[in-house]
Amino acid sequence: MDQQGQNGLLTTYREGWRKRGLSGILISLLLIGFYLFLYFEDKVHRYYHVRPLTDLAASLGLRNRWYLYGFLYCAAMLFGAFYYLKRHGNSRYNRIRISVNVAVQVMLGFLLPFIMPLFGGTEFYASYFWPLKYDYLYPHTLQDLPLYLAVYTIAGSLIAAPLLAFFFGKRWYCSWVCGCGGLANTFGDPWRHLSSKTTRSWRFEQVSVHTVMFLAIASTALIGLDYLMDNKSSAFHAVVSGNRWDDWSIKYVYGLGVGAILSGVAGTGLYPLLGPRVWCRNFCPMAAMLGLIQKLGRYRIRVKPDMCISCGNCSTYCEMGIDVRSYAQNNESFTRASCVGCGVCAHMCPRGVLKLENVKPLATEKGRQGLPIVHL
Amino acid sequence: MGPSSRIVIIGNGVAGMEAALLIRAREPQWPITIISEESDHFFSRTAMMWVCCGQMNHQDIEPLQRDAYANANLTRIRARALGIDRSAQQVLLAGDHPPVPYDQLLIACGSRPRPGPWKGSQATGVGHFVTMQDLEWLEDEIHGGPASTRAPRHDAHLRASNPESPYFKRGTALESRGSTSSQPAVIGGGLIGIEAIEIMVAAKRTPHFFIRDEWFWPIALDTRESRWIGERMEQHGVQVHLEHEIEELVTDDNHRLTGIRTNQGEFGADLAVVAIGVMPNTDWMANSGVELHPRGGIPVNGSQATNDPNIFAAGDCAVLPWWDGTQRPEQLWYTSRDQGRVAARSMLGEKATYQRGLWYNSAKLMDIEYTTAGFVNLNITGERNWYFEEQGSVRSTIRIVTLSADDQDNGNQSDHNQGQRVIGFNMLGRRWDHSILLQWIRERRSLQWVLDHLKDASFDTELTPPLRIPKSALQQEPIAATARKTNQPTIEPPTFF
């Protein structure tokens, strides 16, 4: 099998459901409806006395609707992985990357948290870290975890994740481990060309993603402060954490707004209209944080000088909406904070102009052509 | 800043657009007008095949956002140029457009397809694949229409165009055929030919591919390399016909293509893409007094100036002296871009010289990567070829062209010219950094040295299994290249070596 070069030609725009047309809107509405139902089944139940997801989960032995969701999630990823590998599987990077990503999600994102409680263990999602899994640094969460898991999640979120991002770019997480990224790269892959490449969308993304990152850090800090103050009757406690879990507190609003609406309903629901990385690109606080570290770190996309023909395959198929072509045609090797390192731009390039790599700054250029390294 | 100069650029391709943007960057006030019959928006011609397949839409192949012209304050005129009135310093336009006055004119009007010389070449169902209008025609013939929307105003020029223009959209055989093409054919075994083949394969057709030579693309590939490409095409159902000379494009009473007759028989075909090369698109300016080469191009000096000091030419339409003494155009994306930049700097009053480096190029033939650098397939006297075919989890071929160091002058100081000296590379299946390969050629590296360092030039994507060449292959001596049946003249080694 050949290792690189597209596997034949892609007929993307000749498939109606991938074109942001009527069928795209219908699929999107279906996904949005599913997510709304998933998150608000309790409310539906309160008024209409039906709980189809919970009932279905029970009948399948999946205990509750969240495990059903986890199961469907894995199924969608597996199904999408076959689709993805059929198209890009002749690249070894993509074969290994997608296999690892799916395996991590099935094992750590579903099987382990499903099985552990059966043996009296904790339901723990080892492949998710703060600030994506925002409650994993909340004091009461840590308090409830066994010590080794508390250490794992603190060290993982604050030390390992940033360190790995420094050396390998944020791709180690966003494209190899994370379930959100995994779903986007498998189930969402048919729509990857729909992400907007305009400068306007780039500006929006810069503001929105860093705003959510700030909110994630600020809300976690406030909840930590509230815990330290330990005054359940204060107004501060009511505003920050609320007395019941669904009081309109900062904690609840963040969970509802970011955790449910932005990551689930909009993040996945808009796949067929805005591309599969709506959440990762515009809202994910983890992506924002690792992206800033990526800018300082060793990961970059190297551009072979004076070979680009500006065809636009790289930009078109960039799921993060990066105009890769603009760098390639200017002979600029580059690191963009948003790049998740899926490798598709390099894979699709008909001239082999692009290459993902981790390099010590400046060191690799020794003895090579004087290609400028541009940090943007 | 010099005195204001009215700049007019004919052609909206990479040469013209690079020039316009560079001039605008230096001179915010100069009026710049771009005349194009083909398209409102600068697009990448090399990407047309993916639009036809549906891999990209019409907007995806535009390297700049559509507000680029407004942002850079570039005036656009969508019209066919009919000539240049040099005494009045005006460009004459078709339709009801008034002439456009210029102080300095850049001609960057590119290439047009070479028409088929055979009977029936003008039939319905016969076309080319060079211009935007060719792309629209082929989209219609193969798919019945575009995959997505076409660029806005895509036929705005039609009123004032004419069938002589390469941008005139030819009629399709859709109606008389009653459907899209079921048996397409491609004539001409070059890069545009194989692009058309890929379009047809992606549309699940099994096209005929008529190639005059004894193997596909002999100016770039040798027989072993070409055999691999041929195998890959046949795996996709392409009917490859080598050494077929076209004699006639057979038509029915409605002047619609029904078949192709070659020296080896007649083949049914309801669509033919004629891809037998391109030539400078300069018919329109034949009587303007700007000097033209006998084969159509515009001769330019090192500053891209023509015989008229106020008129410059860049890109496919310009001809310049090559190292072998011939005068030819350089029909490549990156050379057009560089020529456009040099022309712009000349128009800004700088002393700029276009410096042509060693030849390099890359492409993808079906899904096989191809990189070339230096002097390959030129039949240089004394040339030898070191060849290795990798058959494993990666399939690739490596061909290194060498000259015996004994044939070289002994005056150079390099340590690396013992034995066989490397002058060219032809690589399939893997990716290579051509800039490093070229550096080795310039540094006069020996074959042994290059083989020892080959991995430094690798540009494979991450996690691709590395190339391993067994010892026995490393020690093999380079041998003379496979001779072509048609006597290819030998060339003396270039003097600048």
Side-chain angles (χ1 to χ4, degrees):
Chain A
M1 180 185 275
D2 306 299
Q3 296 291 338
Q4 43 204 4
Q6 280 152 237
N7 214 352
L9 285 152
L10 310 180
T11 47
T12 309
Y13 286 101
R14 298 223 174 256
E15 294 163 30
W17 59 285
R18 299 173 64 188
K19 268 204 286 192
R20 202 184 284 159
L22 187 63
S23 40
I25 295 173
L26 288 177
I27 300 171
S28 182
L29 286 175
L30 219 66
L31 287 169
I32 290 173
F34 169 78
Y35 271 94
L36 286 173
F37 208 89
L38 176 72
Y39 287 121
F40 301 108
E41 200 188 43
D42 296 341
K43 298 227 178 340
V44 174
H45 182 244
R46 200 178 301 162
Y47 297 110
Y48 298 101
H49 310 289
V50 285
R51 281 195 302 204
L53 293 178
T54 304
D55 296 345
L56 181 63
S59 68
L60 292 172
L62 289 169
R63 302 212 286 276
N64 65 42
R65 69 178 194 273
W66 299 110
Y67 284 125
L68 174 69
Y69 174 54
F71 177 79
L72 291 174
Y73 202 97
C74 290
M77 269 183 77
L78 275 167
F79 186 73
F82 280 113
Y83 178 88
Y84 182 88
L85 292 180
K86 212 178 118 198
R87 279 151 39 94
H88 306 299
N90 58 339
S91 142
R92 188 151 173 256
Y93 178 79
N94 278 314
R95 276 207 305 282
I96 297 177
R97 180 178 75 83
I98 289 295
S99 309
V100 170
N101 204 337
V102 171
V104 165
Q105 182 59 25
V106 171
M107 313 274 256
L108 303 184
F110 177 68
L111 284 180
L112 207 61
F114 182 74
I115 291 167
M116 283 292 277
L118 294 178
F119 300 95
T122 320
E123 180 189 339
F124 183 76
Y125 294 84
S127 55
Y128 289 91
F129 298 96
W130 181 89
L132 171 58
K133 191 79 177 152
Y134 46 90
D135 53 344
Y136 269 18
L137 283 193
Y138 290 171
H140 49 270
T141 312
L142 293 172
Q143 206 172 26
D144 292 346
L145 285 176
L147 182 64
Y148 75 98
L149 288 181
V151 170
Y152 173 88
T153 191
I154 293 173
S157 303
L158 299 179
I159 301 169
L163 210 61
L164 285 167
F166 180 85
F167 287 103
F168 303 107
K170 73 199 237 190
R171 56 182 171 155
W172 85 264
Y173 190 70
C174 300
S175 290
W176 286 73
V177 172
C178 178
C180 311
L183 190 71
N185 273 172
T186 51
F187 174 70
D189 191 67
W191 300 290
R192 62 159 50 238
H193 55 290
L194 297 179
S195 60
S196 171
K197 278 81 189 178
T198 58
T199 327
R200 222 179 68 189
S201 62
W202 184 12
R203 281 196 208 110
F204 175 83
E205 155 204 328
Q206 285 174 314
V207 173
S208 62
V209 81
H210 294 114
T211 304
V212 176
M213 182 182 78
F214 170 78
L215 293 177
I217 295 170
S219 61
T220 307
L222 287 173
I223 289 161
L225 198 61
D226 176 46
Y227 178 84
L228 290 176
M229 283 163 55
D230 195 22
N231 185 349
K232 294 259 184 287
S233 56
S234 70
F236 182 74
H237 177 73
V239 169
V240 171
S241 301
N243 291 313
R244 288 165 4 129
W245 72 272
D246 60 348
D247 282 348
W248 288 88
S249 61
I250 287 176
K251 185 170 143 192
Y252 177 70
V253 169
Y254 183 88
L256 178 74
V258 178
I261 304 293
L262 290 181
S263 85
V265 179
T268 309
L270 294 176
Y271 274 12
L273 301 177
L274 299 177
R277 289 274 189 175
V278 176
W279 158 253
C280 316
R281 176 185 182 187
N282 297 299
F283 307 115
C284 177
M286 182 99 179
M289 203 179 78
L290 297 184
L292 293 177
I293 293 160
Q294 171 162 286
K295 289 287 287 181
L296 306 170
R298 297 190 171 174
Y299 167 75
R300 67 169 186 169
I301 296 181
R302 181 161 143 214
V303 171
K304 204 153 76 175
D306 289 326
M307 191 57 104
C308 173
I309 51 170
S310 302
C311 71
N313 273 299
C314 52
S315 293
T316 303
Y317 285 89
C318 177
E319 52 185 351
M320 297 304 279
I322 299 170
D323 191 359
V324 184
R325 164 172 55 190
S326 64
Y327 300 96
Q329 63 194 1
N330 289 327
N331 296 338
E332 290 169 2
S333 296
F334 68 101
T335 306
R336 270 276 290 272
S338 64
C339 176
V340 289
C342 68
V344 168
C345 57
H347 176 60
M348 301 265 310
C349 177
R351 298 224 151 189
V353 170
L354 305 163
K355 182 179 179 181
L356 278 55
E357 59 182 16
N358 310 306
V359 287
K360 285 185 193 164
L362 302 171
T364 50
E365 295 307 313
K366 245 182 169 178
R368 292 199 180 271
Q369 77 289 348
L371 192 63
I373 305 169
V374 178
H375 293 287
L376 287 154
Chain B
M1 188 179 121
S4 184
S5 175
R6 288 170 300 177
I7 303 290
V8 174
I9 298 171
I10 300 175
N12 199 2
V14 62
M17 201 59 201
E18 276 297 318
L21 291 176
L22 200 152
I23 294 171
R24 175 55 74 233
R26 303 271 181 87
E27 293 291 354
Q29 303 303 328
W30 286 12
I32 302 176
T33 304
I34 298 176
I35 298 168
S36 169
E37 180 184 0
E38 184 176 24
S39 166
D40 278 345
H41 301 282
F42 165 46
F43 68 93
S44 176
R45 191 175 308 285
T46 46
M48 284 184 357
M49 64 172 285
W50 293 292
V51 177
C52 203
C53 295
Q55 181 164 315
M56 287 193 279
N57 68 25
H58 279 264
Q59 189 165 2
D60 289 336
I61 65 168
E62 293 166 13
L64 305 171
Q65 292 180 37
R66 283 185 175 161
D67 54 9
Y69 295 89
N71 291 344
N73 192 18
L74 306 174
T75 310
R76 275 175 296 177
I77 299 176
R78 184 74 187 280
R80 174 164 177 72
L82 291 180
I84 304 164
D85 180 349
R86 286 166 63 222
S87 53
Q89 297 207 332
Q90 288 180 336
V91 178
L92 310 175
L93 300 180
D96 44 14
H97 292 280
V100 184
Y102 65 83
D103 295 315
Q104 295 188 92
L105 174 66
L106 173 62
I107 303 170
C109 57
S111 292
R112 61 179 299 159
R114 184 181 302 284
W118 319 285
K119 182 165 177 272
S121 293
Q122 300 305 317
T124 322
V126 180
H128 306 280
F129 193 62
V130 173
T131 67
M132 179 56 83
Q133 287 68 28
D134 293 340
L135 164 62
E136 291 172 5
W137 166 79
L138 195 58
E139 279 180 329
D140 290 347
E141 290 281 37
I142 292 275
H143 290 284
S148 203
T149 49
R150 285 181 173 145
R153 286 173 29 93
H154 63 95
D155 51 6
H157 66 298
L158 278 187
R159 200 163 37 87
S161 191
N162 67 55
E164 300 303 308
S165 163
Y167 311 113
F168 184 81
K169 191 179 167 191
R170 57 181 65 217
T172 61
L174 272 180
E175 266 181 36
S176 60
R177 195 194 289 125
S179 67
T180 55
S181 164
S182 55
Q183 181 52 68
V186 175
I187 300 170
L191 272 183
I192 296 180
I194 199 169
E195 284 185 2
I197 286 289
E198 286 187 64
I199 289 166
M200 293 163 184
V201 167
K204 301 201 167 28
R205 309 294 204 281
T206 53
H208 290 293
F209 196 6
F210 296 104
I211 297 167
R212 188 172 61 178
D213 305 291
E214 63 227 64
W215 67 77
F216 167 71
W217 212 24
I219 59 163
L221 305 177
D222 84 356
T223 169
R224 298 161 290 192
E225 294 159 344
S226 187
R227 194 182 307 128
W228 182 16
I229 309 294
E231 278 167 23
R232 185 55 56 94
M233 285 195 277
E234 276 161 7
Q235 281 168 11
H236 285 282
V238 182
Q239 306 167 57
V240 182
H241 307 290
L242 298 174
E243 295 184 272
H244 278 243
E245 285 281 356
I246 306 296
E247 290 177 348
E248 185 190 347
L249 306 187
V250 187
T251 58
D252 63 9
D253 299 340
N254 296 325
H255 200 53
R256 181 171 69 83
L257 182 78
T258 56
I260 294 170
R261 190 160 54 76
T262 75
N263 58 347
Q264 301 198 33
E266 189 170 325
F267 301 84
D270 57 7
L271 174 72
V273 173
V274 177
I276 53 171
V278 295
M279 51 199 212
N281 176 27
T282 51
D283 304 354
W284 61 275
M285 49 177 285
N287 302 317
S288 62
V290 175
E291 186 197 340
L292 290 182
H293 186 268
R295 297 176 69 175
I298 309 165
V300 292
N301 64 17
S303 318
Q304 304 294 139
T306 65
N307 60 322
D308 181 327
N310 293 322
I311 301 182
F312 299 78
D316 275 19
C317 64
V319 297
L320 47 165
W322 284 49
W323 62 274
D324 57 5
T326 57
Q327 277 210 319
R328 282 183 281 158
E330 286 183 316
Q331 291 142 332
L332 290 171
W333 181 264
Y334 64 87
T335 53
S336 288
R337 185 199 59 190
D338 292 351
Q339 289 180 21
R341 287 177 186 165
V342 171
R345 290 174 57 196
S346 302
M347 294 162 90
L348 287 161
E350 288 181 35
K351 278 251 174 297
T353 310
Y354 175 68
Q355 297 216 319
R356 143 164 257 297
L358 288 172
W359 172 268
Y360 66 89
N361 203 5
S362 73
K364 201 160 54 60
L365 309 167
M366 304 302 282
D367 53 355
I368 301 169
E369 310 266 343
Y370 158 72
T371 307
T372 189
F375 300 85
V376 175
N377 282 27
L378 291 173
N379 209 12
I380 291 174
T381 312
E383 145 188 336
R384 287 169 175 275
N385 285 239
W386 184 91
Y387 180 80
F388 174 67
E389 200 162 322
E390 181 190 14
Q391 298 270 15
S393 60
V394 182
R395 184 170 172 187
S396 78
T397 67
I398 293 161
R399 181 154 62 96
I400 303 178
V401 185
T402 66
L403 279 181
S404 169
D406 309 335
D407 298 342
Q408 300 296 304
D409 60 320
N410 295 320
N412 73 79
Q413 301 301 311
S414 170
D415 297 329
H416 305 291
N417 67 339
Q418 299 306 306
Q420 293 285 329
R421 188 201 150 184
V422 170
I423 59 165
F425 297 87
N426 225 38
M427 321 292 234
L428 289 177
R430 282 183 181 271
R431 293 180 175 181
W432 300 93
D433 188 337
H434 63 286
S435 62
I436 295 172
L437 302 179
L438 293 173
Q439 186 182 324
W440 291 344
I441 296 172
R442 282 191 300 265
E443 291 171 352
R444 313 173 68 93
R445 299 290 181 181
S446 72
L447 176 62
Q448 206 49 57
W449 192 94
V450 164
L451 288 174
D452 289 346
H453 293 79
L454 206 52
K455 67 176 189 312
D456 295 346
S458 166
F459 209 77
D460 288 327
T461 49
E462 284 175 299
L463 303 182
T464 301
L467 170 70
R468 286 210 175 76
I469 305 177
K471 263 219 172 82
S472 56
L474 283 173
Q475 285 160 356
Q476 78 193 13
E477 287 294 315
I479 54 165
T482 327
R484 281 162 67 179
K485 283 184 197 164
T486 46
N487 277 333
Q488 193 188 1
T490 54
I491 296 178
E492 287 309 304
T495 49
F496 52 80
F497 265 20

